Amino acid sequence: MTQVLFSEDHEYIKIENGVGPDGSAVKLGIVGITDFAQKALGDVVYVELPKVGATVAKGGQAGVVESVKSASEIYSPVSGEITEVNQALADDPALVNSDPHGAAWFYKIKIANDSELSVLKDEAGYKAFTESL
Amino acid sequence: MENAALKPAELLHKTPLHALHVSLGGKMVPFAGYDMPVQYGDMGVLKEHLHTRSHAGLFDVSHMGQAVLTAKDGDPARILEKLVPGDIAGLSAGQMRYTVLLNDKGGIVDDLMVTRWDERTLLLVVNAACKDKDFAYIRAKIGAETHLEYLGDRALLALQGPKAERALSALIPDAARLFFMTSFKTVYKGQPLYISRSGYTGEDGYEISLPAAFAESFTRELLANDDVKLIGLGARDSLRLEAGLCLYGHDLDEDTTPVEANLKWTIAKRRREEANFAGAEVILKQLADGTARLRVALKPEGKAPVREGAEIHAGGKKIGMVTSGGFGPTADAPVAMGYVDAAYAKNGTAVDAMVRGTPRPCTVAAAPFVKHNYKKD
């Protein structure tokens, strides 16, 4: 079963176990913004994706999502190297509103440090967090 | 979207329609000291914008300042002309005009609508965020000769879009006979209404001033028409931006003259000759010699919105600043306006807007971004 974790900046990360080039176990994360975030933003008209191969730090800027009325930065929930970005999302930014947890993923990242996952919230924890806002 | 430095919600003013907004799913945000709907739950900014351009949008603009100006003796128009460059004395009964309130440096204190009711009475409608300042300024400058009565117990609605005429004239048939920038007073269900064919979206439509206590029931009557939907401040901003219209405090301020703001058309020929309005010396010199900077419309290439505060560069140096910008739902493209050095103000000039450190190519363009749809004849 895929593990999904959430940041307080309203990004989700789906964790997948994979194998690195040298045969070692690596963890990949698929990052997007939550349904709660897309509802708050409103109709998304533009997204900016990170570059494949770039390294981002936890909490660092890894993209931009813009609605008619405002621009918001995507903060990476974990540190690591960007391995893939979702070009289909750049072509059709409205996917963020219609399928935030599915087709509207932003990027895949090779997770550099497992321990960063421990400070993210699980689904119940994130739900409680959004209800407290 | 939500901005900082806010009053707690309980200290914000509420318009007479506040409870209705909340009950209809309005997402309330602080704006100009009022708790106002930025959008409504079932539509959102994009759909609200498009609905206004295709059907009719109803906006609560009761936060704006409505006031009646009279003279202690005779017509107040010539007296008000000391503070504005427009031809107010030449307005006939029912006519209205967009103009700017000027300081002694020729800077814009506010932009406003002035309507002549009759030979002794003018109605002023000013921006919400400026109304206290404006009324204090008008009283300080011309208070000895005039009386300014703030209409604090009236609401103001804007009904905008191609279906506005049909929707309003179904209740008030005479509304269909108005042309753009004219108005009349009427009584509906015993309530005194001031109706003008005007607005700030680029569409045909009306503004309706009405008693606060009557606002909700009249709003519900309009909303009973399926073509009419309540529209929030978010779409109000994208509509006016696409229409190439200025937003005070962003595109206009007290250090900007109407010449710099590319609002030369607001400076009437007679007023140029008379040269008797606040800041006339500065403004007439600018009309003759030009200005160092000018407001222009900007069309960004590609899909990335260019927003307020972005620097405008050309040839590797900063030549201006974006003052309003975003995504235009009808233009289906980013739209912006800002100020550039006059050498770069010509239509077709290529410039860059700096967005998050990246230059985004833009073309200086003719506003509006969408065709105005006014009922002129």
Side-chain angles (χ1 to χ4, degrees):
Chain A
M1 196 180 106
T2 311
Q3 185 188 16
V4 187
L5 298 170
F6 300 85
S7 75
E8 291 192 355
D9 296 318
H10 308 287
E11 287 86 19
Y12 65 78
I13 180 166
K14 292 183 193 173
I15 315 292
E16 290 183 341
N17 292 309
V19 179
D22 59 356
S24 64
V26 295
K27 278 189 176 171
L28 282 179
I30 302 173
V31 177
I33 70 165
T34 65
D35 187 54
F36 178 88
Q38 71 80 14
K39 282 190 177 126
L41 278 170
D43 304 292
V44 171
V45 296
Y46 179 75
V47 300
E48 204 166 279
L49 300 169
K51 295 228 178 345
V52 173
T55 302
V56 295
K58 176 181 167 59
Q61 198 206 317
V64 175
V65 55
E66 302 207 26
S67 67
V68 177
K69 58 184 186 288
S70 64
S72 304
E73 299 191 334
I74 306 294
Y75 300 108
S76 191
V78 295
S79 307
E81 182 190 329
I82 307 293
T83 60
E84 193 179 341
V85 297
N86 185 1
Q87 193 53 45
L89 180 62
D91 296 338
D92 184 9
L95 286 172
V96 175
N97 300 114
S98 60
D99 192 11
H101 292 271
W105 59 276
F106 279 63
Y107 60 89
K108 296 185 183 176
I109 185 168
K110 192 161 83 185
I111 298 170
N113 184 352
D114 272 8
S115 68
E116 289 176 353
L117 298 175
S118 65
V119 298
L120 297 172
K121 296 179 185 307
D122 64 11
E123 189 158 0
Y126 179 68
K127 186 161 178 281
F129 171 69
T130 57
E131 284 166 358
S132 74
L133 295 176
Chain B
M1 47 195 155
E2 284 86 353
N3 52 45
L6 305 169
K7 293 180 183 178
E10 62 272 18
L11 294 182
L12 292 168
H13 297 294
K14 294 181 168 74
T15 75
L17 294 175
H18 186 272
L20 183 66
H21 297 314
V22 171
S23 74
L24 296 179
K27 183 179 172 191
M28 308 305 285
V29 301
F31 179 80
Y34 283 78
D35 195 34
M36 296 296 287
V38 66
Q39 64 179 70
Y40 294 86
D42 55 339
M43 290 184 82
V45 177
L46 195 73
K47 289 193 187 77
E48 290 176 23
H49 177 116
L50 296 172
H51 182 86
T52 304
R53 295 236 188 273
S54 63
H55 293 78
L58 183 60
F59 305 74
D60 177 13
V61 288
S62 304
H63 55 317
M64 297 183 78
Q66 305 177 67
V68 170
L69 185 73
T70 49
K72 295 199 169 149
D73 183 26
D75 183 2
R78 294 263 176 190
I79 307 169
L80 181 63
E81 283 187 354
K82 295 177 184 180
L83 304 180
V84 305
D87 180 359
I88 307 302
L91 291 174
S92 52
Q95 278 190 316
M96 60 196 296
R97 182 150 280 155
Y98 172 81
T99 191
V100 288
L101 194 61
L102 296 173
N103 62 30
D104 290 337
K105 299 179 300 175
I108 300 171
V109 177
D110 197 6
D111 58 341
L112 70 159
M113 291 285 185
V114 178
T115 304
R116 181 186 281 288
W117 277 355
D118 54 46
E119 62 277 10
R120 302 178 71 92
T121 322
L122 300 173
L123 174 70
L124 313 183
V125 179
V126 306
N127 280 301
C130 296
K131 62 186 175 187
D132 295 343
K133 172 187 84 165
D134 292 354
F135 296 154
Y137 180 69
I138 291 168
R139 288 188 176 113
K141 286 287 189 178
I142 59 172
E145 307 157 88
T146 59
H147 179 67
L148 186 69
E149 184 198 354
Y150 174 49
L151 303 181
D153 60 349
R154 293 186 75 84
L156 190 64
L157 301 173
L159 180 65
Q160 302 279 292
K163 306 281 191 186
E165 180 186 273
R166 197 192 297 172
L168 186 59
S169 61
L171 307 179
I172 300 165
D174 282 349
R177 290 160 50 192
L178 287 175
F179 290 104
F180 183 57
M181 298 301 270
T182 66
S183 72
F184 71 111
K185 291 184 182 180
T186 190
V187 174
Y188 178 70
K189 295 191 171 173
Q191 304 286 331
L193 308 189
Y194 318 145
I195 298 176
S196 66
R197 198 149 197 166
S198 65
Y200 216 60
T201 61
E203 294 299 322
D204 181 27
Y206 300 89
E207 291 195 351
I208 305 142
S209 168
L210 67 174
F214 184 57
E216 183 168 333
S217 88
F218 190 74
T219 299
R220 287 186 186 278
E221 278 191 73
L222 287 170
L223 290 175
N225 182 325
D226 285 342
D227 286 335
V228 179
K229 302 282 183 209
L230 274 173
I231 307 296
L233 291 178
R236 185 169 169 79
D237 189 52
S238 57
L239 287 158
R240 71 91 201 162
L241 176 60
E242 271 187 351
L245 302 171
C246 293
L247 179 61
Y248 192 82
H250 300 260
D251 309 309
L252 307 175
D253 60 35
E254 296 195 3
D255 297 316
T256 301
T257 70
V259 185
E260 292 169 317
N262 202 8
L263 296 173
K264 275 194 281 197
W265 60 272
T266 64
I267 310 163
K269 182 164 176 287
R270 169 174 66 82
R271 307 304 316 285
R272 296 179 193 206
E273 288 160 4
E274 292 174 356
N276 58 358
F277 51 89
E281 197 178 329
V282 173
I283 285 172
L284 292 172
K285 188 171 181 334
Q286 290 183 345
L287 284 171
D289 302 345
T291 57
R293 63 188 185 117
L294 275 172
R295 183 177 65 90
V296 296
L298 295 165
K299 266 197 167 102
E301 283 174 26
K303 284 280 180 186
V306 168
R307 298 185 189 270
E308 180 178 3
E311 291 188 358
I312 303 169
H313 287 209
K317 65 180 171 104
K318 183 186 168 190
I319 54 111
M321 187 79 91
V322 172
T323 52
S324 278
F327 185 80
T330 304
D332 194 24
V335 292
M337 63 171 88
Y339 285 79
V340 295
D341 293 351
Y344 299 91
K346 212 173 143 216
N347 282 352
T349 305
V351 297
D352 288 320
M354 303 302 289
V355 178
R356 295 179 287 271
T358 305
R360 299 280 183 184
C362 299
T363 308
V364 173
F369 299 98
V370 296
K371 194 173 140 285
H372 287 165
N373 219 355
Y374 302 138
K375 167 114 176 175
K376 290 195 170 171
D377 46 45

mmCIF file of all heavy atoms in Angstrom, chain B residues 69-91:
data_model
loop_
_atom_site.group_PDB
_atom_site.id
_atom_site.type_symbol
_atom_site.label_atom_id
_atom_site.label_comp_id
_atom_site.label_asym_id
_atom_site.label_seq_id
_atom_site.Cartn_x
_atom_site.Cartn_y
_atom_site.Cartn_z
ATOM 1 N N LEU B 69 -23.223 66.664 -3.144
ATOM 2 C CA LEU B 69 -22.554 67.965 -3.007
ATOM 3 C C LEU B 69 -23.498 69.071 -3.481
ATOM 4 O O LEU B 69 -23.990 69.023 -4.617
ATOM 5 C CB LEU B 69 -21.268 67.985 -3.842
ATOM 6 C CG LEU B 69 -20.408 69.246 -3.691
ATOM 7 C CD1 LEU B 69 -19.706 69.267 -2.336
ATOM 8 C CD2 LEU B 69 -19.370 69.343 -4.819
ATOM 9 N N THR B 70 -23.728 70.034 -2.613
ATOM 10 C CA THR B 70 -24.510 71.214 -2.990
ATOM 11 C C THR B 70 -23.679 72.449 -2.652
ATOM 12 O O THR B 70 -22.733 72.368 -1.860
ATOM 13 C CB THR B 70 -25.846 71.279 -2.219
ATOM 14 O OG1 THR B 70 -25.576 71.089 -0.829
ATOM 15 C CG2 THR B 70 -26.807 70.195 -2.683
ATOM 16 N N ALA B 71 -24.041 73.569 -3.257
ATOM 17 C CA ALA B 71 -23.345 74.817 -2.954
ATOM 18 C C ALA B 71 -24.177 75.614 -1.968
ATOM 19 O O ALA B 71 -25.404 75.459 -1.915
ATOM 20 C CB ALA B 71 -23.127 75.626 -4.227
ATOM 21 N N LYS B 72 -23.520 76.443 -1.180
ATOM 22 C CA LYS B 72 -24.285 77.312 -0.288
ATOM 23 C C LYS B 72 -25.092 78.299 -1.122
ATOM 24 O O LYS B 72 -26.136 78.779 -0.688
ATOM 25 C CB LYS B 72 -23.343 78.001 0.685
ATOM 26 C CG LYS B 72 -22.720 76.920 1.584
ATOM 27 C CD LYS B 72 -22.111 77.368 2.856
ATOM 28 C CE LYS B 72 -21.819 76.123 3.708
ATOM 29 N NZ LYS B 72 -20.666 76.278 4.578
ATOM 30 N N ASP B 73 -24.607 78.532 -2.365
ATOM 31 C CA ASP B 73 -25.308 79.454 -3.239
ATOM 32 C C ASP B 73 -25.169 78.958 -4.678
ATOM 33 O O ASP B 73 -24.069 78.948 -5.217
ATOM 34 C CB ASP B 73 -24.702 80.855 -3.065
ATOM 35 C CG ASP B 73 -25.432 81.897 -3.897
ATOM 36 O OD1 ASP B 73 -26.632 81.674 -4.188
ATOM 37 O OD2 ASP B 73 -24.800 82.909 -4.249
ATOM 38 N N GLY B 74 -26.250 78.483 -5.289
ATOM 39 C CA GLY B 74 -26.225 78.136 -6.707
ATOM 40 C C GLY B 74 -25.649 76.759 -6.998
ATOM 41 O O GLY B 74 -25.877 75.804 -6.265
ATOM 42 N N ASP B 75 -24.887 76.687 -8.111
ATOM 43 C CA ASP B 75 -24.406 75.417 -8.668
ATOM 44 C C ASP B 75 -23.047 75.043 -8.058
ATOM 45 O O ASP B 75 -22.112 75.851 -8.118
ATOM 46 C CB ASP B 75 -24.285 75.590 -10.192
ATOM 47 C CG ASP B 75 -23.873 74.310 -10.894
ATOM 48 O OD1 ASP B 75 -23.720 73.264 -10.222
ATOM 49 O OD2 ASP B 75 -23.706 74.356 -12.130
ATOM 50 N N PRO B 76 -22.890 73.834 -7.523
ATOM 51 C CA PRO B 76 -21.596 73.440 -6.956
ATOM 52 C C PRO B 76 -20.555 73.028 -8.007
ATOM 53 O O PRO B 76 -19.394 72.798 -7.656
ATOM 54 C CB PRO B 76 -21.958 72.249 -6.067
ATOM 55 C CG PRO B 76 -23.156 71.646 -6.730
ATOM 56 C CD PRO B 76 -23.913 72.793 -7.351
ATOM 57 N N ALA B 77 -20.962 72.920 -9.283
ATOM 58 C CA ALA B 77 -20.067 72.338 -10.290
ATOM 59 C C ALA B 77 -18.770 73.133 -10.447
ATOM 60 O O ALA B 77 -17.680 72.563 -10.459
ATOM 61 C CB ALA B 77 -20.793 72.235 -11.633
ATOM 62 N N ARG B 78 -18.896 74.468 -10.579
ATOM 63 C CA ARG B 78 -17.679 75.282 -10.760
ATOM 64 C C ARG B 78 -16.782 75.216 -9.529
ATOM 65 O O ARG B 78 -15.561 75.356 -9.639
ATOM 66 C CB ARG B 78 -18.063 76.738 -11.029
ATOM 67 C CG ARG B 78 -18.799 76.936 -12.342
ATOM 68 C CD ARG B 78 -17.858 77.363 -13.434
ATOM 69 N NE ARG B 78 -18.585 77.463 -14.694
ATOM 70 C CZ ARG B 78 -18.004 77.625 -15.874
ATOM 71 N NH1 ARG B 78 -16.689 77.712 -15.969
ATOM 72 N NH2 ARG B 78 -18.717 77.688 -16.967
ATOM 73 N N ILE B 79 -17.399 75.033 -8.379
ATOM 74 C CA ILE B 79 -16.602 74.949 -7.149
ATOM 75 C C ILE B 79 -15.851 73.621 -7.113
ATOM 76 O O ILE B 79 -14.649 73.571 -6.834
ATOM 77 C CB ILE B 79 -17.499 75.137 -5.909
ATOM 78 C CG1 ILE B 79 -18.316 76.430 -6.027
ATOM 79 C CG2 ILE B 79 -16.657 75.141 -4.632
ATOM 80 C CD1 ILE B 79 -19.414 76.581 -4.985
ATOM 81 N N LEU B 80 -16.553 72.523 -7.439
ATOM 82 C CA LEU B 80 -15.877 71.217 -7.488
ATOM 83 C C LEU B 80 -14.769 71.216 -8.534
ATOM 84 O O LEU B 80 -13.747 70.538 -8.370
ATOM 85 C CB LEU B 80 -16.892 70.097 -7.780
ATOM 86 C CG LEU B 80 -16.318 68.677 -7.822
ATOM 87 C CD1 LEU B 80 -15.734 68.273 -6.459
ATOM 88 C CD2 LEU B 80 -17.368 67.656 -8.268
ATOM 89 N N GLU B 81 -14.957 71.984 -9.597
ATOM 90 C CA GLU B 81 -13.946 72.025 -10.664
ATOM 91 C C GLU B 81 -12.590 72.540 -10.172
ATOM 92 O O GLU B 81 -11.569 72.319 -10.823
ATOM 93 C CB GLU B 81 -14.444 72.875 -11.844
ATOM 94 C CG GLU B 81 -15.466 72.122 -12.705
ATOM 95 C CD GLU B 81 -15.850 72.888 -13.973
ATOM 96 O OE1 GLU B 81 -15.405 74.054 -14.132
ATOM 97 O OE2 GLU B 81 -16.596 72.316 -14.789
ATOM 98 N N LYS B 82 -12.575 73.198 -9.024
ATOM 99 C CA LYS B 82 -11.279 73.602 -8.453
ATOM 100 C C LYS B 82 -10.414 72.386 -8.115
ATOM 101 O O LYS B 82 -9.191 72.491 -8.037
ATOM 102 C CB LYS B 82 -11.483 74.418 -7.166
ATOM 103 C CG LYS B 82 -12.173 75.750 -7.366
ATOM 104 C CD LYS B 82 -12.387 76.434 -6.017
ATOM 105 C CE LYS B 82 -13.172 77.730 -6.186
ATOM 106 N NZ LYS B 82 -13.390 78.394 -4.877
ATOM 107 N N LEU B 83 -11.077 71.234 -7.899
ATOM 108 C CA LEU B 83 -10.363 70.032 -7.432
ATOM 109 C C LEU B 83 -10.295 68.919 -8.468
ATOM 110 O O LEU B 83 -9.650 67.891 -8.228
ATOM 111 C CB LEU B 83 -11.033 69.482 -6.162
ATOM 112 C CG LEU B 83 -11.164 70.466 -4.995
ATOM 113 C CD1 LEU B 83 -11.848 69.790 -3.812
ATOM 114 C CD2 LEU B 83 -9.797 70.999 -4.588
ATOM 115 N N VAL B 84 -10.995 69.077 -9.599
ATOM 116 C CA VAL B 84 -10.988 68.028 -10.637
ATOM 117 C C VAL B 84 -10.779 68.685 -11.998
ATOM 118 O O VAL B 84 -11.180 69.833 -12.206
ATOM 119 C CB VAL B 84 -12.303 67.200 -10.641
ATOM 120 C CG1 VAL B 84 -12.592 66.597 -9.266
ATOM 121 C CG2 VAL B 84 -13.487 68.021 -11.132
ATOM 122 N N PRO B 85 -10.159 67.950 -12.959
ATOM 123 C CA PRO B 85 -9.885 68.549 -14.271
ATOM 124 C C PRO B 85 -10.998 68.314 -15.300
ATOM 125 O O PRO B 85 -10.870 68.743 -16.439
ATOM 126 C CB PRO B 85 -8.597 67.845 -14.699
ATOM 127 C CG PRO B 85 -8.749 66.478 -14.112
ATOM 128 C CD PRO B 85 -9.508 66.637 -12.821
ATOM 129 N N GLY B 86 -12.070 67.635 -14.902
ATOM 130 C CA GLY B 86 -13.142 67.324 -15.848
ATOM 131 C C GLY B 86 -14.106 68.484 -16.008
ATOM 132 O O GLY B 86 -14.151 69.403 -15.191
ATOM 133 N N ASP B 87 -14.904 68.409 -17.070
ATOM 134 C CA ASP B 87 -15.938 69.419 -17.315
ATOM 135 C C ASP B 87 -17.181 69.002 -16.523
ATOM 136 O O ASP B 87 -17.963 68.178 -16.985
ATOM 137 C CB ASP B 87 -16.241 69.498 -18.811
ATOM 138 C CG ASP B 87 -17.315 70.545 -19.110
ATOM 139 O OD1 ASP B 87 -17.828 71.185 -18.160
ATOM 140 O OD2 ASP B 87 -17.641 70.715 -20.298
ATOM 141 N N ILE B 88 -17.331 69.556 -15.331
ATOM 142 C CA ILE B 88 -18.485 69.234 -14.482
ATOM 143 C C ILE B 88 -19.616 70.235 -14.744
ATOM 144 O O ILE B 88 -20.774 69.859 -14.832
ATOM 145 C CB ILE B 88 -18.076 69.265 -12.978
ATOM 146 C CG1 ILE B 88 -16.860 68.361 -12.734
ATOM 147 C CG2 ILE B 88 -19.270 68.839 -12.106
ATOM 148 C CD1 ILE B 88 -17.017 66.923 -13.122
ATOM 149 N N ALA B 89 -19.244 71.508 -14.923
ATOM 150 C CA ALA B 89 -20.266 72.536 -15.166
ATOM 151 C C ALA B 89 -21.061 72.232 -16.435
ATOM 152 O O ALA B 89 -22.235 72.579 -16.540
ATOM 153 C CB ALA B 89 -19.606 73.907 -15.260
ATOM 154 N N GLY B 90 -20.418 71.578 -17.393
ATOM 155 C CA GLY B 90 -21.071 71.291 -18.664
ATOM 156 C C GLY B 90 -21.984 70.078 -18.650
ATOM 157 O O GLY B 90 -22.628 69.771 -19.656
ATOM 158 N N LEU B 91 -22.027 69.353 -17.529
ATOM 159 C CA LEU B 91 -22.919 68.182 -17.453
ATOM 160 C C LEU B 91 -24.361 68.662 -17.398
ATOM 161 O O LEU B 91 -24.687 69.557 -16.619
ATOM 162 C CB LEU B 91 -22.629 67.366 -16.184
ATOM 163 C CG LEU B 91 -21.315 66.603 -16.091
ATOM 164 C CD1 LEU B 91 -21.163 65.988 -14.692
ATOM 165 C CD2 LEU B 91 -21.239 65.518 -17.158
#
